[in-house]
PDB file of all heavy atoms in Angstrom:
ATOM      1  N   GLU F  78       1.357  -2.201 -19.695  1.00  0.00           N
ATOM      2  CA  GLU F  78       2.236  -2.373 -20.909  1.00  0.00           C
ATOM      3  C   GLU F  78       1.398  -3.147 -21.871  1.00  0.00           C
ATOM      4  O   GLU F  78       1.394  -2.948 -23.093  1.00  0.00           O
ATOM      5  CB  GLU F  78       3.527  -3.053 -20.574  1.00  0.00           C
ATOM      6  CG  GLU F  78       4.408  -1.986 -19.895  1.00  0.00           C
ATOM      7  CD  GLU F  78       5.659  -2.586 -19.296  1.00  0.00           C
ATOM      8  OE1 GLU F  78       5.605  -3.910 -18.934  1.00  0.00           O
ATOM      9  OE2 GLU F  78       6.694  -1.795 -19.001  1.00  0.00           O
ATOM     10  N   PRO F 102      -6.127  14.047 -39.541  1.00  0.00           N
ATOM     11  CA  PRO F 102      -5.302  13.454 -40.641  1.00  0.00           C
ATOM     12  C   PRO F 102      -4.464  12.148 -40.004  1.00  0.00           C
ATOM     13  O   PRO F 102      -4.087  12.181 -38.945  1.00  0.00           O
ATOM     14  CB  PRO F 102      -4.400  14.509 -41.166  1.00  0.00           C
ATOM     15  CG  PRO F 102      -4.945  15.802 -40.657  1.00  0.00           C
ATOM     16  CD  PRO F 102      -5.786  15.479 -39.491  1.00  0.00           C
ATOM     17  N   ARG F 146       7.959   7.986  21.534  1.00  0.00           N
ATOM     18  CA  ARG F 146       7.330   8.296  20.196  1.00  0.00           C
ATOM     19  C   ARG F 146       6.920   7.042  19.721  1.00  0.00           C
ATOM     20  O   ARG F 146       7.699   5.922  19.609  1.00  0.00           O
ATOM     21  CB  ARG F 146       8.352   8.921  19.333  1.00  0.00           C
ATOM     22  CG  ARG F 146       7.853   9.285  18.034  1.00  0.00           C
ATOM     23  CD  ARG F 146       8.840  10.213  17.145  1.00  0.00           C
ATOM     24  NE  ARG F 146       9.621   9.389  16.351  1.00  0.00           N
ATOM     25  CZ  ARG F 146      10.451   9.935  15.462  1.00  0.00           C
ATOM     26  NH1 ARG F 146      10.452  11.238  15.249  1.00  0.00           N
ATOM     27  NH2 ARG F 146      11.153   9.201  14.638  1.00  0.00           N
ATOM     28  N   ARG F 208     -10.036  -4.205 -22.038  1.00  0.00           N
ATOM     29  CA  ARG F 208     -10.732  -5.374 -21.399  1.00  0.00           C
ATOM     30  C   ARG F 208      -9.892  -6.593 -21.743  1.00  0.00           C
ATOM     31  O   ARG F 208      -9.824  -7.452 -20.867  1.00  0.00           O
ATOM     32  CB  ARG F 208     -12.035  -5.519 -22.101  1.00  0.00           C
ATOM     33  CG  ARG F 208     -12.813  -6.775 -21.680  1.00  0.00           C
ATOM     34  CD  ARG F 208     -13.865  -7.167 -22.464  1.00  0.00           C
ATOM     35  NE  ARG F 208     -14.984  -6.521 -22.236  1.00  0.00           N
ATOM     36  CZ  ARG F 208     -16.261  -6.638 -22.798  1.00  0.00           C
ATOM     37  NH1 ARG F 208     -16.388  -7.424 -23.877  1.00  0.00           N
ATOM     38  NH2 ARG F 208     -17.385  -5.954 -22.446  1.00  0.00           N
ATOM     39  N   LEU F 216      -7.071  -9.893 -13.950  1.00  0.00           N
ATOM     40  CA  LEU F 216      -7.559  -8.886 -13.082  1.00  0.00           C
ATOM     41  C   LEU F 216      -9.067  -8.967 -12.967  1.00  0.00           C
ATOM     42  O   LEU F 216      -9.636  -9.523 -13.774  1.00  0.00           O
ATOM     43  CB  LEU F 216      -7.155  -7.509 -13.556  1.00  0.00           C
ATOM     44  CG  LEU F 216      -5.618  -7.289 -13.579  1.00  0.00           C
ATOM     45  CD1 LEU F 216      -5.283  -6.017 -14.290  1.00  0.00           C
ATOM     46  CD2 LEU F 216      -5.010  -7.359 -12.153  1.00  0.00           C
ATOM     47  N   ARG F 249     -16.037  24.287 -20.223  1.00  0.00           N
ATOM     48  CA  ARG F 249     -16.134  24.849 -18.979  1.00  0.00           C
ATOM     49  C   ARG F 249     -17.555  24.435 -18.363  1.00  0.00           C
ATOM     50  O   ARG F 249     -17.679  24.045 -17.267  1.00  0.00           O
ATOM     51  CB  ARG F 249     -16.076  26.305 -18.992  1.00  0.00           C
ATOM     52  CG  ARG F 249     -15.923  26.933 -17.608  1.00  0.00           C
ATOM     53  CD  ARG F 249     -15.928  28.470 -17.543  1.00  0.00           C
ATOM     54  NE  ARG F 249     -14.762  29.037 -18.285  1.00  0.00           N
ATOM     55  CZ  ARG F 249     -14.359  30.316 -18.188  1.00  0.00           C
ATOM     56  NH1 ARG F 249     -14.954  31.063 -17.291  1.00  0.00           N
ATOM     57  NH2 ARG F 249     -13.373  30.793 -18.904  1.00  0.00           N
ATOM     58  N   SER F 310      -4.300  25.906 -27.700  1.00  0.00           N
ATOM     59  CA  SER F 310      -4.216  26.801 -28.802  1.00  0.00           C
ATOM     60  C   SER F 310      -4.117  28.198 -28.446  1.00  0.00           C
ATOM     61  O   SER F 310      -4.767  28.710 -27.536  1.00  0.00           O
ATOM     62  CB  SER F 310      -5.513  26.514 -29.635  1.00  0.00           C
ATOM     63  OG  SER F 310      -5.447  26.975 -31.011  1.00  0.00           O
ATOM     64  N   GLY F 330      -1.302  37.381 -40.903  1.00  0.00           N
ATOM     65  CA  GLY F 330      -2.410  37.394 -41.825  1.00  0.00           C
ATOM     66  C   GLY F 330      -2.211  36.827 -43.203  1.00  0.00           C
ATOM     67  O   GLY F 330      -3.095  35.998 -43.582  1.00  0.00           O
ATOM     68  N   GLN F 348     -20.362  24.475 -35.372  1.00  0.00           N
ATOM     69  CA  GLN F 348     -21.379  25.485 -35.295  1.00  0.00           C
ATOM     70  C   GLN F 348     -21.022  26.468 -34.126  1.00  0.00           C
ATOM     71  O   GLN F 348     -21.140  27.742 -34.246  1.00  0.00           O
ATOM     72  CB  GLN F 348     -22.777  25.035 -34.949  1.00  0.00           C
ATOM     73  CG  GLN F 348     -23.350  24.308 -36.215  1.00  0.00           C
ATOM     74  CD  GLN F 348     -24.223  23.112 -35.982  1.00  0.00           C
ATOM     75  OE1 GLN F 348     -24.817  22.987 -34.825  1.00  0.00           O
ATOM     76  NE2 GLN F 348     -24.413  22.244 -36.951  1.00  0.00           N
ATOM     77  N   GLU F 371     -11.719  28.974 -47.929  1.00  0.00           N
ATOM     78  CA  GLU F 371     -13.089  28.360 -47.937  1.00  0.00           C
ATOM     79  C   GLU F 371     -13.180  27.022 -48.640  1.00  0.00           C
ATOM     80  O   GLU F 371     -12.411  26.924 -49.676  1.00  0.00           O
ATOM     81  CB  GLU F 371     -14.265  29.282 -48.510  1.00  0.00           C
ATOM     82  CG  GLU F 371     -14.588  30.422 -47.467  1.00  0.00           C
ATOM     83  CD  GLU F 371     -15.763  31.135 -47.902  1.00  0.00           C
ATOM     84  OE1 GLU F 371     -15.721  32.049 -48.914  1.00  0.00           O
ATOM     85  OE2 GLU F 371     -16.918  30.937 -47.476  1.00  0.00           O
ATOM     86  N   ARG F 410      -2.899  44.831 -29.624  1.00  0.00           N
ATOM     87  CA  ARG F 410      -1.856  45.886 -29.709  1.00  0.00           C
ATOM     88  C   ARG F 410      -1.700  46.532 -28.321  1.00  0.00           C
ATOM     89  O   ARG F 410      -2.688  47.202 -27.878  1.00  0.00           O
ATOM     90  CB  ARG F 410      -2.005  46.881 -30.711  1.00  0.00           C
ATOM     91  CG  ARG F 410      -1.961  46.376 -32.116  1.00  0.00           C
ATOM     92  CD  ARG F 410      -2.464  47.568 -33.146  1.00  0.00           C
ATOM     93  NE  ARG F 410      -2.178  47.197 -34.497  1.00  0.00           N
ATOM     94  CZ  ARG F 410      -1.116  47.304 -35.120  1.00  0.00           C
ATOM     95  NH1 ARG F 410      -0.049  47.981 -34.466  1.00  0.00           N
ATOM     96  NH2 ARG F 410      -0.933  46.860 -36.338  1.00  0.00           N
ATOM     97  N   GLU F 422      -1.919  40.554 -15.275  1.00  0.00           N
ATOM     98  CA  GLU F 422      -2.749  40.464 -13.973  1.00  0.00           C
ATOM     99  C   GLU F 422      -4.118  40.328 -14.080  1.00  0.00           C
ATOM    100  O   GLU F 422      -4.840  39.978 -13.120  1.00  0.00           O
ATOM    101  CB  GLU F 422      -2.320  41.741 -13.095  1.00  0.00           C
ATOM    102  CG  GLU F 422      -0.880  41.640 -12.662  1.00  0.00           C
ATOM    103  CD  GLU F 422      -0.532  42.863 -11.905  1.00  0.00           C
ATOM    104  OE1 GLU F 422      -1.099  44.037 -12.108  1.00  0.00           O
ATOM    105  OE2 GLU F 422       0.292  42.744 -10.927  1.00  0.00           O
ATOM    106  N   GLY F 474      -2.268  21.837 -16.544  1.00  0.00           N
ATOM    107  CA  GLY F 474      -3.138  22.239 -15.521  1.00  0.00           C
ATOM    108  C   GLY F 474      -3.028  23.711 -15.380  1.00  0.00           C
ATOM    109  O   GLY F 474      -2.593  24.456 -16.286  1.00  0.00           O
ATOM    110  N   ALA F 512       3.909  -4.172   2.068  1.00  0.00           N
ATOM    111  CA  ALA F 512       5.491  -4.264   1.700  1.00  0.00           C
ATOM    112  C   ALA F 512       6.256  -3.065   1.658  1.00  0.00           C
ATOM    113  O   ALA F 512       7.435  -3.066   2.096  1.00  0.00           O
ATOM    114  CB  ALA F 512       5.641  -5.136   0.459  1.00  0.00           C
ATOM    115  N   LEU F 514       6.146  -0.504   3.319  1.00  0.00           N
ATOM    116  CA  LEU F 514       6.443   0.111   4.571  1.00  0.00           C
ATOM    117  C   LEU F 514       7.195  -0.756   5.627  1.00  0.00           C
ATOM    118  O   LEU F 514       7.401  -0.486   6.652  1.00  0.00           O
ATOM    119  CB  LEU F 514       5.280   0.586   5.262  1.00  0.00           C
ATOM    120  CG  LEU F 514       4.503   1.711   4.610  1.00  0.00           C
ATOM    121  CD1 LEU F 514       3.171   2.184   5.390  1.00  0.00           C
ATOM    122  CD2 LEU F 514       5.350   2.990   4.275  1.00  0.00           C
TER     123      LEU F 514
END
Side-chain angles (χ1 to χ4, degrees):
Chain F
E78 287 166 341
R146 185 169 91 167
R208 174 198 275 181
L216 299 172
R249 193 185 300 195
S310 195
Q348 286 150 22
E371 282 191 279
R410 290 174 174 273
E422 288 179 328
L514 296 181

